[in-house]
Amino acid sequence: MIETVALTGSTNADMMARADAGAPEGLWLRAEQQHGGRGRLGRQWLSPIGNLYCSTLVRLRPDDPPAHLLAFVTALAVHDAMLDIVPDCGARLKWPNDVHVDGAKLAGILLERRADAVVVGIGVNVALAPDVPGRKVTCLRDLGAMVQIDAAAVIELLADRFAARLAQWRSVEPATLLDVWCAAAHKPGEAMAVQRGPDDRIEGVFDGLAADGALRLRLADGRIETISAGDVDLVG
């Protein structure tokens, strides 16, 4: 089920309230506009009319794989949908949860959990690429999507792709899922910098993912840093 509202503060906050009230897995909420959208690390998510702002709900089961892998599930679902819309756009996944094209952000993901409820928030730049200082941003229209593609059409496709990837998460080994993610993400040896804190920035090359999904960064001296949280910038 997909519910649409004209304006809200945050679809994630609204979906968490629905989760607390007993909403089932599979519910989707889309807002045509948000005035309090959030990205990772508390950043503001700009929400002009024309782009997709939505959240869905996953109910964790006792035998489910680790919940943090839902970030990779979601990224794969968004990536699937983007390639369905613009097959030749070159969309890639950027750890931990962005979809980008040539270094420009196309979509972002924010997961929040309370008890057995995981709220999955997704923002996709459909019609507009917001002006974000210091960051490259793109949108589906700029990448060649048909004019007829709008946020309502994108969420229909995304909901189907998410359901398929969620079923995969519940049926395959975590290592297999991470291998699938890697195939759609950074190339081994790709140069990147990771900002782990205000004064903690390190550079190296991508060396795959650890068993728990943490980023492996090979430094210039050959050492491997395993990073569980941080912002990745692709270098060069």
Side-chain angles (χ1 to χ4, degrees):
M1 175 184 174
I2 299 174
E3 178 184 348
T4 299
V5 298
L7 174 66
T8 192
S10 160
T11 61
N12 259 31
D14 290 353
M15 185 60 76
M16 189 63 78
R18 285 163 170 75
D20 290 344
E25 178 174 297
L27 176 64
W28 285 79
L29 175 66
R30 177 175 78 90
E32 294 177 352
Q33 194 172 19
Q34 297 181 123
H35 58 73
R38 293 170 290 119
R40 291 183 63 249
L41 306 178
R43 295 192 184 98
Q44 180 186 18
W45 184 272
L46 300 177
S47 305
I49 293 176
N51 291 341
L52 175 61
Y53 320 106
C54 65
S55 299
T56 189
L57 175 63
V58 176
R59 288 287 186 186
L60 298 176
R61 306 171 186 174
D63 58 347
D64 274 343
H68 73 272
L69 294 179
L70 286 169
F72 299 93
V73 169
T74 309
L76 284 166
V78 175
H79 184 258
D80 292 342
M82 300 303 96
L83 292 185
D84 284 342
I85 296 167
V86 190
D88 299 323
C89 69
R92 305 289 291 176
L93 300 178
K94 188 177 81 168
W95 189 92
N97 54 10
D98 284 349
V99 181
H100 70 101
V101 176
D102 295 329
K105 187 167 182 173
L106 175 60
I109 297 161
L110 177 66
L111 273 67
E112 299 177 288
R113 176 180 178 181
R114 185 149 66 220
D116 73 333
V118 178
V119 171
V120 179
I122 302 169
V124 180
N125 296 327
V126 179
L128 302 164
D131 183 14
V132 180
R135 290 177 178 263
K136 293 175 62 179
V137 182
T138 190
C139 68
L140 287 172
R141 292 276 174 83
D142 290 348
L143 295 172
M146 296 183 297
V147 174
Q148 294 90 334
I149 290 293
D150 60 11
V154 173
I155 193 174
E156 292 278 358
L157 180 60
L158 178 58
D160 286 344
R161 299 297 176 265
F162 184 81
R165 289 297 186 181
L166 190 65
Q168 181 185 39
W169 170 67
R170 285 180 165 140
S171 62
V172 304
E173 292 296 323
T176 300
L177 181 71
L178 294 177
D179 285 345
V180 174
W181 185 94
C182 285
H186 319 288
K187 297 177 181 178
E190 187 168 359
M192 57 179 57
V194 182
Q195 193 78 35
R196 298 186 293 189
D199 301 308
D200 185 5
R201 179 182 173 91
I202 57 174
E203 294 189 4
V205 298
F206 180 59
D207 194 62
L209 299 179
D212 62 354
L215 178 73
R216 287 169 50 91
L217 189 70
R218 184 178 296 276
L219 307 184
D221 62 6
R223 290 185 298 113
I224 300 292
E225 283 279 343
T226 301
I227 299 165
S228 296
D231 277 346
V232 169
D233 289 321
L234 302 181
V235 178

PDB file of all heavy atoms in Angstrom, residues 4 11 34 37 64 89 116 129-130 144 172 183 222 225:
ATOM      1  N   THR A   4      -0.078   8.735   0.031  1.00  0.00           N
ATOM      2  CA  THR A   4       0.554   9.981  -0.393  1.00  0.00           C
ATOM      3  C   THR A   4      -0.070  11.157   0.335  1.00  0.00           C
ATOM      4  O   THR A   4      -1.302  11.244   0.452  1.00  0.00           O
ATOM      5  CB  THR A   4       0.406  10.181  -1.914  1.00  0.00           C
ATOM      6  OG1 THR A   4       1.052   9.106  -2.600  1.00  0.00           O
ATOM      7  CG2 THR A   4       1.055  11.493  -2.357  1.00  0.00           C
ATOM      8  N   THR A  11       8.766  12.051   6.353  1.00  0.00           N
ATOM      9  CA  THR A  11       8.078  10.774   6.159  1.00  0.00           C
ATOM     10  C   THR A  11       8.618   9.713   7.104  1.00  0.00           C
ATOM     11  O   THR A  11       7.884   8.816   7.524  1.00  0.00           O
ATOM     12  CB  THR A  11       8.191  10.284   4.704  1.00  0.00           C
ATOM     13  OG1 THR A  11       9.566  10.083   4.350  1.00  0.00           O
ATOM     14  CG2 THR A  11       7.539  11.262   3.741  1.00  0.00           C
ATOM     15  N   GLN A  34       8.410  17.974   1.874  1.00  0.00           N
ATOM     16  CA  GLN A  34       8.709  17.899   3.306  1.00  0.00           C
ATOM     17  C   GLN A  34       9.280  19.236   3.762  1.00  0.00           C
ATOM     18  O   GLN A  34       9.986  19.902   3.002  1.00  0.00           O
ATOM     19  CB  GLN A  34       9.768  16.823   3.592  1.00  0.00           C
ATOM     20  CG  GLN A  34       9.384  15.407   3.255  1.00  0.00           C
ATOM     21  CD  GLN A  34      10.505  14.437   3.613  1.00  0.00           C
ATOM     22  OE1 GLN A  34      10.310  13.509   4.368  1.00  0.00           O
ATOM     23  NE2 GLN A  34      11.684  14.655   3.052  1.00  0.00           N
ATOM     24  N   GLY A  37      12.792  17.313   6.267  1.00  0.00           N
ATOM     25  CA  GLY A  37      13.488  16.120   5.807  1.00  0.00           C
ATOM     26  C   GLY A  37      14.905  16.054   6.348  1.00  0.00           C
ATOM     27  O   GLY A  37      15.578  17.072   6.512  1.00  0.00           O
ATOM     28  N   ASP A  64      15.474 -13.347  11.006  1.00  0.00           N
ATOM     29  CA  ASP A  64      15.989 -12.468   9.962  1.00  0.00           C
ATOM     30  C   ASP A  64      17.502 -12.312  10.057  1.00  0.00           C
ATOM     31  O   ASP A  64      18.088 -12.412  11.148  1.00  0.00           O
ATOM     32  CB  ASP A  64      15.347 -11.085  10.058  1.00  0.00           C
ATOM     33  CG  ASP A  64      14.020 -10.989   9.323  1.00  0.00           C
ATOM     34  OD1 ASP A  64      13.743 -11.869   8.485  1.00  0.00           O
ATOM     35  OD2 ASP A  64      13.261 -10.031   9.589  1.00  0.00           O
ATOM     36  N   CYS A  89      22.494   5.203 -17.434  1.00  0.00           N
ATOM     37  CA  CYS A  89      22.931   6.374 -16.668  1.00  0.00           C
ATOM     38  C   CYS A  89      24.237   6.146 -15.920  1.00  0.00           C
ATOM     39  O   CYS A  89      24.874   7.097 -15.465  1.00  0.00           O
ATOM     40  CB  CYS A  89      21.839   6.814 -15.701  1.00  0.00           C
ATOM     41  SG  CYS A  89      21.534   5.680 -14.319  1.00  0.00           S
ATOM     42  N   ASP A 116      11.224  -3.824  16.927  1.00  0.00           N
ATOM     43  CA  ASP A 116      11.247  -4.673  15.742  1.00  0.00           C
ATOM     44  C   ASP A 116      10.928  -3.906  14.467  1.00  0.00           C
ATOM     45  O   ASP A 116      10.814  -4.496  13.389  1.00  0.00           O
ATOM     46  CB  ASP A 116      10.250  -5.830  15.883  1.00  0.00           C
ATOM     47  CG  ASP A 116       8.803  -5.375  15.745  1.00  0.00           C
ATOM     48  OD1 ASP A 116       8.513  -4.191  16.042  1.00  0.00           O
ATOM     49  OD2 ASP A 116       7.954  -6.203  15.339  1.00  0.00           O
ATOM     50  N   ALA A 129      17.602  18.770  -9.389  1.00  0.00           N
ATOM     51  CA  ALA A 129      18.839  18.532  -8.649  1.00  0.00           C
ATOM     52  C   ALA A 129      19.049  19.719  -7.716  1.00  0.00           C
ATOM     53  O   ALA A 129      19.460  20.792  -8.160  1.00  0.00           O
ATOM     54  CB  ALA A 129      20.018  18.390  -9.604  1.00  0.00           C
ATOM     55  N   PRO A 130      18.736  19.571  -6.427  1.00  0.00           N
ATOM     56  CA  PRO A 130      18.858  20.701  -5.509  1.00  0.00           C
ATOM     57  C   PRO A 130      20.293  21.237  -5.450  1.00  0.00           C
ATOM     58  O   PRO A 130      21.253  20.489  -5.615  1.00  0.00           O
ATOM     59  CB  PRO A 130      18.441  20.110  -4.159  1.00  0.00           C
ATOM     60  CG  PRO A 130      17.657  18.887  -4.495  1.00  0.00           C
ATOM     61  CD  PRO A 130      18.249  18.356  -5.754  1.00  0.00           C
ATOM     62  N   GLY A 144      18.342  11.835 -18.479  1.00  0.00           N
ATOM     63  CA  GLY A 144      17.652  11.341 -19.664  1.00  0.00           C
ATOM     64  C   GLY A 144      16.344  10.633 -19.424  1.00  0.00           C
ATOM     65  O   GLY A 144      15.795  10.027 -20.346  1.00  0.00           O
ATOM     66  N   VAL A 172      19.169 -15.450   1.294  1.00  0.00           N
ATOM     67  CA  VAL A 172      20.550 -15.762   0.925  1.00  0.00           C
ATOM     68  C   VAL A 172      21.476 -15.448   2.093  1.00  0.00           C
ATOM     69  O   VAL A 172      21.105 -14.743   3.033  1.00  0.00           O
ATOM     70  CB  VAL A 172      21.005 -14.978  -0.331  1.00  0.00           C
ATOM     71  CG1 VAL A 172      20.068 -15.248  -1.496  1.00  0.00           C
ATOM     72  CG2 VAL A 172      21.095 -13.482  -0.051  1.00  0.00           C
ATOM     73  N   ALA A 183      29.196  -5.542  -6.526  1.00  0.00           N
ATOM     74  CA  ALA A 183      29.170  -5.564  -7.989  1.00  0.00           C
ATOM     75  C   ALA A 183      28.539  -4.300  -8.564  1.00  0.00           C
ATOM     76  O   ALA A 183      28.798  -3.936  -9.718  1.00  0.00           O
ATOM     77  CB  ALA A 183      28.422  -6.799  -8.480  1.00  0.00           C
ATOM     78  N   GLY A 222      49.811   0.065   2.739  1.00  0.00           N
ATOM     79  CA  GLY A 222      49.339  -1.309   2.626  1.00  0.00           C
ATOM     80  C   GLY A 222      48.445  -1.758   3.762  1.00  0.00           C
ATOM     81  O   GLY A 222      47.827  -2.819   3.676  1.00  0.00           O
ATOM     82  N   GLU A 225      42.312  -0.322   6.869  1.00  0.00           N
ATOM     83  CA  GLU A 225      41.454   0.285   7.886  1.00  0.00           C
ATOM     84  C   GLU A 225      40.029  -0.219   7.656  1.00  0.00           C
ATOM     85  O   GLU A 225      39.518  -0.143   6.528  1.00  0.00           O
ATOM     86  CB  GLU A 225      41.487   1.807   7.784  1.00  0.00           C
ATOM     87  CG  GLU A 225      42.734   2.453   8.348  1.00  0.00           C
ATOM     88  CD  GLU A 225      42.680   2.586   9.871  1.00  0.00           C
ATOM     89  OE1 GLU A 225      41.575   2.488  10.443  1.00  0.00           O
ATOM     90  OE2 GLU A 225      43.740   2.788  10.474  1.00  0.00           O
TER      91      GLU A 225
END
